[in-house]
Amino acid sequence: MFSSRIWREKPQRYRLEANKCKKTGKVFFPPRLANGLQNREFEKVYLPREGTVVTFTVIHVAPGPFTDEVPYAVGIVDLGPAKITCQIVDISPEEIKTGMKVRLEFRCIQKNGAGGVLSYGYKAVPVCE
Amino acid sequence: MVADPLRLFDCSPVTDGAAAVILCPLEKAKSLTKKRIVKVAGTGHATDSIALHSREKITFYNSAAKSAAQALEMAGKKREDIHFAEVHDCFSIAEICVLESMGFYEEGKAGKAIAAGETQLTGKLPVNTSGGLKSKGHPVGATGVAQIVELVEQIRGEAGERQVKDANIGLAQNMGGTAASSIVHILEGC
């Protein structure tokens, strides 16, 4: 990922900033500039950090920066106002189940390029009950 | 295993490749070639959210549904008029979802129909006679044009061992960004 993109996406990746369409109330993550053709007015909202696993896969052949991490799980997590896609970590992939409660934590995501610039974001970890 | 449950042969190999077509007005085409003329009967293009998680269902592609409906309307055809199709099977699940989204099968039915042979060369709706992305390779930028080439060869009766009997109306569906964008063309021999 280019460092300009890391900088540009900080609000959503660091703080889970989403936006809510003022007319329809629908929440978008990542934030959008328009909801359909007419609706362009949004308010900033922060997503909650707890949710449930909707679906997931276990990656065995990974793209560039993630090759050392296989096998690892990536899933869709329902946070209520919006869903989010992220890695599910701190649990062995065989133990992950749909419907499982998870919490999003601030984690290092990858090292970028030869310089190894770090980019941060969210990963889901199981909630102990 | 690549990404559970997709194994190696469920995933199209991204390859080198090239494809080309010559387009011109229909009347002009007749003076340029003695080969059978194939016309663009209909075309459709639709989009959806980039993120899978923003969609109501991850197994139904709104972009494929809308682009197919547009192309069918423009061509004045019904689904049962289509003799054969090339669809964007970047992964085996994609072919299933695309056939269902375009309305050729009800949701949840395409996988079983494919397994039962309905999309084979002699089946009800032959799909991906070219081999599709998985068997032919997926040279990303050339993939869509290669689908059109296959449609033309089939309609001209030049497909050899792959020939669909009496193929005259074919549909090509190409997409990108996990079906964030889908384009459908319907070609017809004249």
Side-chain angles (χ1 to χ4, degrees), chain B residues 105-126:
Chain B
Y105 289 97
E106 282 175 44
E107 284 182 68
K109 300 274 174 73
K112 285 169 190 149
I114 292 168
E118 285 188 25
T119 58
Q120 286 176 3
L121 202 53
T122 52
K124 201 169 77 179
L125 177 72

Side-chain angles (χ1 to χ4, degrees), chain B residues 11-167:
Chain B
C11 307
S12 59
V14 173
T15 53
D16 288 337
V21 294
I22 298 172
L23 290 168
C24 68
L26 207 53
E27 289 310 311
K28 181 89 176 163
K30 286 170 186 163
S31 68
L32 286 175
T33 180
K34 291 193 174 66
K35 288 190 173 185
R36 188 167 191 211
I37 305 297
V38 177
K39 71 170 183 184
V40 181
T43 174
H45 179 205
T47 61
D48 202 347
S49 69
I50 294 267
L52 269 184
H53 66 234
S54 300
R55 303 182 195 167
E56 284 201 9
K57 290 181 186 171
I58 60 172
T59 50
F60 188 88
Y61 305 152
N62 284 317
S63 60
K66 285 181 193 164
S67 53
Q70 286 170 8
L72 286 164
E73 193 191 339
M74 186 174 169
K77 306 287 182 202
K78 297 191 181 96
R79 284 165 187 81
E80 50 269 31
D81 297 331
I82 303 296
H83 297 146
F84 67 104
E86 285 285 307
V87 305
H88 195 91
D89 63 331
C90 42
F91 301 93
S92 33
I93 181 70
E95 176 175 339
I96 296 169
C97 296
V98 165
L99 288 174
E100 290 176 0
S101 302
M102 293 199 301
F104 287 99
Y105 289 97
E106 282 175 44
E107 284 182 68
K109 300 274 174 73
K112 285 169 190 149
I114 292 168
E118 285 188 25
T119 58
Q120 286 176 3
L121 202 53
T122 52
K124 201 169 77 179
L125 177 72
V127 173
N128 289 355
T129 52
S130 67
L133 282 59
K134 293 205 309 287
S135 305
K136 170 168 59 67
H138 181 18
V140 183
T143 291
V145 182
Q147 293 179 325
I148 301 296
V149 171
E150 178 68 9
L151 258 51
V152 171
E153 287 186 359
Q154 287 286 357
I155 291 170
R156 283 181 173 165
E158 296 173 350
E161 290 180 346
R162 308 190 314 280
Q163 186 62 48
V164 174
K165 196 166 173 283
D166 301 327

